[in-house]
């Protein structure tokens, strides 16, 4: 299936992989021999950790190919803009590939015995829905397009719903029946390996992008593509971490605790890091590291999950808001309501009571964000305080209201600290794992070399 | 503590026989006419009780046995159904639930109701409420031995006098009244001499862990070793013989350079030496232990195994001063020590036993242990320069043992120790 | 100018909310060399502290108006709240004017806090006060007398004012007066809860935490005089006794919630040290013996003290009858071992005596009152229906 022009020699490139199996998402990082990040991949993990791990890893390898493409293009004086355009076009190709699969499974589903009665009405409507979805698809990958999420399930789901609403008929083929077809098919899509690789999908993507390009551009892109596709990755070692790490089919010495990985990952992102706070969906970690990124002490939230990201999820549900809307709304608060309980069990009750007392939503939210950070503050204190520099990672680090509260409380309790937040903070654990895999492989090579 | 498949040495069989025999004796007490006296492990007065030919009942031991036999969950639910709060000690609730279920002991025989509740409540206020609850429910009389706490880190002459006076004027008369026997101080002296002998041997067992590799696990294995001396066998010849046998076996292990016996077999490689503070979890005892053995971690010293006496710090029962020595014993148990004393002890264990680190298992049930453990963590870290690990579980509440969570922490902790070690080695190279 | 009961209560409420403890600081600043000795619930021999010239300051946590940041770092989630806020007060230097601290043998948490304090404030005056659980005058009484003498000598050394028999007798007299005033205020509330509601009585009582006893006595008397003659709208509420709140205190808003839901609180165990003895301490003879004797003979029944006999519910039933209450509200702090372990025994007694009860848990920083309002409101309604039958 290679689009490799004949006569081009393949070059091999060593890679080191880190995989972080989280409770809500799984992440992969690929490093090259120099320890530079080649690629990042992320997927929403479902119950199947093995699948999640393989999806994240292949995503990261696709991303790595684009890195190579970008490097090659830059060498040939091409602009970053065309690399970006090509990547969007490529994503569209991937989307089409998955969409074809979705359509296939939906059709298989409707052929099943459950749908005998509605089949005749459903089939043409499904055709109509998928035609609409194909037509709509390019818009999701336009420059600057705003997507709810990057996951196929979410993009296609929204698009399917919109078209199904139009196509449905309350009597002949109703909306919920159509949706149930989708729900079944999407599960199969997520568990079916599909060729989303760079080499397989770059051809059509390239054609689309280069349709109006100059000869020079065309030549640069063609050469860069050739370089990327001709490069074969030689994965030297992979290290797994995260909540689901025990389920990885890795030998024990290829598995590292997320504490160590977070510590090292944060150090790699900001090398002066001494304290790391990670607030994820299920747990909160406070980690102290030395100048080499080696963990010197850590604390995790106790058995009570109060104050984790999940708590914000409950609150968002309770307020009928999207998770990402909480922070901005909280930032509009004029005062901060004191919230005493960060107990997930009581969160809803306390919220309703505050609302019934006439408190404003944003003021309550501001209080809720503060209360989560207060829990984190106590973990930080247990682990040894907040040293300079201080790096904040995990999903909650993307929440501006939480960051504001953290900044204020750290200043109040520990004085001025430089607070680092990376836009790629979600990859901190995976990066640490990748660095461990590179380090381990090199140590091993050294010993083997010495033995020889 | 009667699992044969865990330790397969002769001493283990002996231990099992001893404990099994004790429960049978207890179950038969109504037939044989022996009186039974309920009391608690920390500061128990076994020698004194047996002077009256009475048999001690140890509700904590019953509860932990129920935990190991996976019965505690139902007992606790039963007690909560009766109105006991989910916030309080699960030993108490397990005991109450066990009574409701016919009070069946670990040997399958029904255990008798105690004839006297002897409240020597060293180091735990819950004990006081526990026996009040039993008394309300079953009408058994109770007698209080108030054991002052070492709040300022020491035992004063006034504290000692107070405990001796209570023994003379409250506890002994109550035992005489319950059993109909006169107190014989010479008999007590005899028993105390046996105690002291067993204590000598037990200390040698604890100290064997200073060797590399340690021939014992001083926490998970340790709870088996304390079985006889913390229950009915302190002050007995059979108890003393058990400890002599145990000691000789362990000395043999040292000579052979062998590691501790664990449920997974003999530990082959000692990778980490740890000190542990806090009681173990009983409902997942083996799983919990395995989390350590899987990583090559051996516990070289623990504080929990000292709740029934800090013999390794020099205390011995002294036949020359029978009541005074009982007072010293009660006041000297680990849980009767102030927090600064506890920090001191843990720090010394880390040094004396050349530990790589320490772990605190904080149990929800037991505020006596747990309140302040986070400060103990911090202070020991400061004092020894070693980082500690902190995990949470419960004594016998199976709902409160999150295996994945605890395993994650233990692994993370040990990997951190490993990483620190290799970075130090790397720097030295 | 005389203050109305509402004004007195409002002034006391501002003392209640004052986490700088200004009245105690002012007292200390009024004369050079003055010392303040703090203590935490439940009991403390305040007479000894006063006899050494120090202010006995009762520290009962920080309620719902102090954000606990560092205090939480010292405690796991399954322990009660009061030690967190007390530690927070300490590490935020709000107690820097306190010269010594006493920790009584209330429970394992408070006991262990004594050791934590020794490490938190190295070199400072910290004493664990082990009260006797043996009530024989010749055994527990004598032990306690000895402990009191040691404590008196130590506090005397701290303040530079040696405790003499005379000064201790005088201190006993002052505290007897204070307890008499408190008892009188409780009697007024029992008889006329419409004139002296608990939301006021509580803050007046609580003001004594940071005041010298004589001034506090005067304040109570002022309140009694003005409340007794005040004109207030009649309210029809059910009479209840509150049990379990002897250590960590419920927030004032919780007390108000219970009252507003239709309950007159006619007896309670808030701030129990202020009503510890059921009879006055002897003001003549050896004062140490007098205090020891009062302790072993006249200590008010409470969960933290051993009860040598069966029938734990008896004393509570007695209180319910004396207070002419219709029911009992068990209000225990979450994770409060003494209160929660005591409760089933008390419940048992009430059930046998046919006295209705309801139970909930709170924390000093509880922020949710709606469920409690519904619960106690329903309870009050049922009791009314019941008594109408």
């Amino acid at each position: 299936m290679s689009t490799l022009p004949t006569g081009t020699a393949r070059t091999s490139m060593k890679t080191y992989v880190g995989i972080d199996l989280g409770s809500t998402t799984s992440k992969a990082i690929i490093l090259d021999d120099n320890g530079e990040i080649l690629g990042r991949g992320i997927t929403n993990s479902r119950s199947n950790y093995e699948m999640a791990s393989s999806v994240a890893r292949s995503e990261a390898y696709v991303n790595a190919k684009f890195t190579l493409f970008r490097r090659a293009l830059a060498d040939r004086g091409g602009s970053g803009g065309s690399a970006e355009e090509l990547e969007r076009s490529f994503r569209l190709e991937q989307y089409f590939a998955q969409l074809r699969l979705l359509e296939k499974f939906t059709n298989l589903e409707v052929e099943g015995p459950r749908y005998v009665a509605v089949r005749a009405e459903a089939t043409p409507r499904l055709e109509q829905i998928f035609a609409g979805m194909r037509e709509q698809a390019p818009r999701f990958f336009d420059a600057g397009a705003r997507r709810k999420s990057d996951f196929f399930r979410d993009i296609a789901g929204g698009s399917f719903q919109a078209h199904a609403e139009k196509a449905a008929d309350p009597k002949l083929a109703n909306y919920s029946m159509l949706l149930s077809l989708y729900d079944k098919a999407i599960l199969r899509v997520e568990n079916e390996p599909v060729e989303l690789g760079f080499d397989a999908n770059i051809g059509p993507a390239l054609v689309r992008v280069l349709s109006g390009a100059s000869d020079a551009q065309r030549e640069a892109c063609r050469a860069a593509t050739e370089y990327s596709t001709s490069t074969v990755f030689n994965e030297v070692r992979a290290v797994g971490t995260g909540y689901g790490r025990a389920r990885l089919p890795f030998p024990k010495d290829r598995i590292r605790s997320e504490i160590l990985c977070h510590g090292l990952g944060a150090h790699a992102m900001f090398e002066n890091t001494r304290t790391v706070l990670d607030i994820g969906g299920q747990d909160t970690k406070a980690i102290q590291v030395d100048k080499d990124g080696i963990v010197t002490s850590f604390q995790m939230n106790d058995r009570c999950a109060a104050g984790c990201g999940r708590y914000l999820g409950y609150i968002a549900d309770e307020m009928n808001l999207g998770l990402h809307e909480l922070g901005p709304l909280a930032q509009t608060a004029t005062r901060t309501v004191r919230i005493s309980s960060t107990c997930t069990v009581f969160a809803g009750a306390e919220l309703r009571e505050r609302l019934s007392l006439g408190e404003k939503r944003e003021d309550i939210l501001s209080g809720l964000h503060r209360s989560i950070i207060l829990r984190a503050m106590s973990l930080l204190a247990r682990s040894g305080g907040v040293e300079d520099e201080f790096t904040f990672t995990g999903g909650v680090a993307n929440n501006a209201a939480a960051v504001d509260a953290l900044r204020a409380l750290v200043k109040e309790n520990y004085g001025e600290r430089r607070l680092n937040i990376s836009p790629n903070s979600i990859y901190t654990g995976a990066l640490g794992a990748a660095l461990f895999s590179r380090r381990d492989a090199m140590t091993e090579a050294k010993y083997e070399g010495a033995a020889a | 503590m009667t699992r044969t498949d865990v330790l397969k040495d002769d001493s283990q069989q002996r231990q099992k026989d001893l404990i099994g025999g004790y429960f049978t004796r207890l179950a038969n007490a109504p037939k044989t006419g022996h009186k039974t006296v309920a009391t608690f492990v920390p500061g128990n007065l076994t020698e004194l009780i047996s002077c009256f030919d009475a048999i001690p009942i140890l509700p904590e031991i019953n509860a932990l046995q129920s935990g190991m036999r996976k019965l505690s969950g139902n007992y606790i639910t039963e007690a909560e159904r009766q109105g006991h709060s989910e916030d309080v000690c699960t030993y108490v609730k397990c005991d109450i639930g066990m009574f409701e279920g016919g009070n069946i002991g670990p040997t399958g025989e029904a255990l008798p109701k105690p004839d006297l509740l002897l409240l020597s409540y060293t180091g735990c206020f819950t004990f006081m409420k526990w026996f009040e609850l039993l008394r309300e429910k079953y009408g058994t009389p109770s007698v209080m031995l108030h054991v002052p706490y070492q709040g300022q880190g020491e035992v004063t002459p006034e504290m000692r006098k107070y405990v001796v006076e209570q023994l003379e004027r409250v506890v002994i008369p109550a035992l005489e009244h319950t059993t109909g026997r006169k107190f014989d101080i010479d008999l007590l002296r005899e028993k105390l001499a046996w105690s002291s002998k067993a204590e000598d041997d037990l200390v040698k067992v604890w100290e064997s862990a200073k060797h590399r590799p340690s021939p014992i696990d001083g926490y998970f294995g340790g709870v088996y070793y304390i079985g006889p001396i913390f229950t009915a066998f302190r002050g007995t010849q059979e108890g003393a013989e058990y400890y002599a046998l145990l000691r000789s076996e362990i000395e043999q292990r040292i000579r052979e350079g062998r590691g501790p016996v664990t449920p997974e077999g003999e530990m082959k490689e000692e990778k980490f030496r740890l000190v542990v503070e806090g009681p173990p979890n009983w409902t997942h005892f083996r799983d919990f232990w395995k989390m350590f053995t899987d990583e090559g971690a051996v516990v070289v010293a623990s504080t929990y195994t000292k709740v029934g006496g800090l013999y390794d710090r020099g205390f011995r029962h002294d036949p020359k001063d029978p009541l005074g020595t009982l007072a010293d014993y009660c006041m000297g148990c680990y849980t009767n020590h102030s927090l600064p004393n506890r920090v001191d002890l843990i720090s010394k264990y880390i040094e004396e036993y050349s530990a790589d680190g320490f772990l605190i298992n904080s149990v929800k049930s037991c505020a006596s242990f747990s309140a302040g453990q986070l400060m103990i963590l911090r202070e020991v870290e400061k004092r020894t320069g070693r980082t500690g690990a902190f995990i949470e579980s419960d004594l016998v509440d199976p709902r409160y043992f999150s295996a994945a969570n605890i395993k994650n922490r233990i692994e993370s902790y040990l990997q951190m120790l490993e990483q620190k070690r290799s970075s130090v080695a790397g720097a030295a190279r | 100018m005389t203050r109305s009961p509402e004004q007195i209560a409002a002034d006391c409420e501002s003392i209640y909310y004052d986490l700088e403890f200004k009245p105690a600081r002012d007292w200390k600043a009024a004369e050079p060399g003055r010392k303040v000795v703090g203590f935490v619930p439940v009991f403390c021999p305040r007479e000894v502290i006063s006899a050494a010239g120090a202010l006995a300051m009762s520290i009962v946590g920080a309620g719902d108006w102090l954000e606990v940041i560092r205090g939480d770092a010292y405690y796991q989630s399954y322990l009660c709240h009061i030690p967190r806020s007390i530690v927070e007060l300490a590490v935020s230097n709000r107690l820097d004017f306190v010269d010594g601290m006493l920790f009584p043998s209330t429970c394992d948490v408070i006991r262990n806090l004594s050791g934590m304090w020794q490490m938190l404030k190295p070199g400072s005056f910290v004493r664990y006060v082990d009260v006797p659980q043996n009530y024989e005058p010749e055994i527990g009484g004598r032990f306690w007398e000895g402990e009191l003498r040691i404590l008196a000598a130590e506090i005397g050394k701290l303040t530079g004012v040696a405790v003499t028999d005379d000064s201790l007798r005088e201190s006993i007299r002052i505290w007897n007066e204070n307890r008499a005033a408190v008892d009188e205020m409780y009697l007024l509330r029992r008889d006329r809860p419409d004139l002296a509601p608990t939301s006021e009585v509580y803050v007046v009582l609580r003001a004594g935490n940071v005041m010298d006893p004589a001034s506090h006595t005067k304040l109570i008397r002022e309140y009694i005089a003005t409340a007794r003659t005040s004109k207030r709208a009649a309210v029809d509420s059910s009479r209840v006794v509150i049990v379990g709140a002897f250590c960590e205190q419920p927030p004032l808003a919780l007390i108000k919630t219970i009252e507003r839901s239709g309950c007159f609180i006619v007896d309670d165990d808030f701030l129990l040290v202020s009503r510890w003895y059921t009879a006055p301490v002897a003001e003549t003879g050896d004062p140490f013996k007098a205090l020891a004797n009062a302790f072993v003979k006249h200590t008010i029944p409470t969960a933290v003290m051993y009860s040598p006999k069966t029938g734990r519910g008896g004393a509570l039933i007695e209180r319910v009858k004396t207070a002419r209450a219709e029911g009992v509200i068990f209000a225990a702090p979450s994770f409060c071992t003494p209160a929660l372990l005591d409760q089933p025994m008390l419940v048992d007694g009430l059930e046998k005596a046919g006295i209705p009860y309801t139970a909930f848990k709170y924390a000093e920083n509880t922020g949710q009152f709606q469920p409690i309002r519904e619960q106690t409101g329903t309870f009050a309604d049922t009791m009314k229906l019941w008594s109408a039958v």
Side-chain angles (χ1 to χ4, degrees), chain B residues 82-89 92 119 121-126 128-130 132-133 135-136 139 142-144 146-149 151-153 156 158-159 161-162 165-166 169-170 335-340 342-343 362-365 367-376 378-379 390 392-393 400, chain C residues 70 72-79 104-109 111-120 126-134 136 138-143 146-147 150 302-313 333-338 340-345 348 352 361:
Chain B
Q82 289 184 9
H84 288 267
S85 169
E86 68 259 36
D87 290 359
V88 301
C89 173
V92 180
L119 192 42
Y121 86 113
T122 295
C124 169
F125 283 86
T126 295
M128 182 171 96
K129 305 312 290 180
W130 189 343
E132 283 181 358
L133 278 161
R135 192 188 58 204
E136 290 286 328
S142 67
V143 59
M144 160 67 90
H146 175 208
V147 176
Y149 177 66
Q152 308 304 126
T156 64
E158 291 81 4
M159 286 157 68
K161 181 164 169 272
Y162 176 44
E165 276 179 0
Q166 291 178 80
R169 296 162 70 171
V170 184
T335 39
N336 206 48
H337 277 273
S338 69
L339 263 74
R342 285 169 63 188
V343 167
S362 175
V363 297
K364 171 178 179 270
S365 276
S368 172
F369 259 106
S370 305
Q373 271 176 333
L374 284 161
M375 188 158 188
I376 290 179
R378 192 179 294 187
E379 291 294 315
F390 198 85
E392 292 184 20
S393 67
Y400 214 84
Chain C
R70 280 155 290 185
D72 256 345
Y74 291 84
Y75 287 100
Q76 302 89 319
S77 58
Y78 51 77
L79 292 163
S105 49
T106 300
C107 68
D108 296 317
V109 175
R111 184 196 71 179
N112 288 4
L113 184 54
S114 74
M116 290 171 66
W117 214 270
Q118 293 169 28
M119 296 187 280
L120 267 179
V126 187
R127 291 294 178 275
Y128 178 68
V129 181
D130 213 337
V131 301
Q133 300 281 6
N134 171 296
E136 294 291 327
E138 286 304 304
I139 305 172
R142 219 162 55 193
F143 166 71
E147 295 296 293
I150 294 170
T302 165
V304 303
M305 296 301 297
Y306 172 61
S307 126
K309 293 199 177 62
T310 1
R312 280 233 21 104
S334 291
F335 303 106
C336 176
T337 292
L340 292 169
L341 283 173
D342 209 32
Q343 198 167 300
M345 294 186 264
D348 203 39
K352 284 183 186 138
K361 289 184 289 186

Side-chain angles (χ1 to χ4, degrees), chain B residues 27 45 70 80 194 226 318 324 330 333 390:
Chain B
L45 301 172
K70 312 266 181 210
E80 287 178 0
W194 284 119
I226 59 179
D318 178 6
C330 288
C333 290
F390 198 85

Side-chain angles (χ1 to χ4, degrees), chain A residues 275-279 284-288 297-299 373-387 390-392 406 410 414, chain B residues 378, chain C residues 73:
Chain A
T275 303
V276 185
L277 173 67
D278 177 79
I279 308 186
T284 302
K285 311 181 250 289
I287 306 170
Q288 309 288 341
S297 93
F298 70 91
Q299 287 287 320
I373 297 301
L374 280 174
R375 296 286 305 196
M377 291 299 292
S378 91
L379 271 188
L380 283 164
R382 283 181 201 181
S383 77
V386 178
E387 300 291 324
F390 175 41
T391 300
F392 184 20
L406 181 64
V410 166
Y414 296 98
Chain B
R378 192 179 294 187

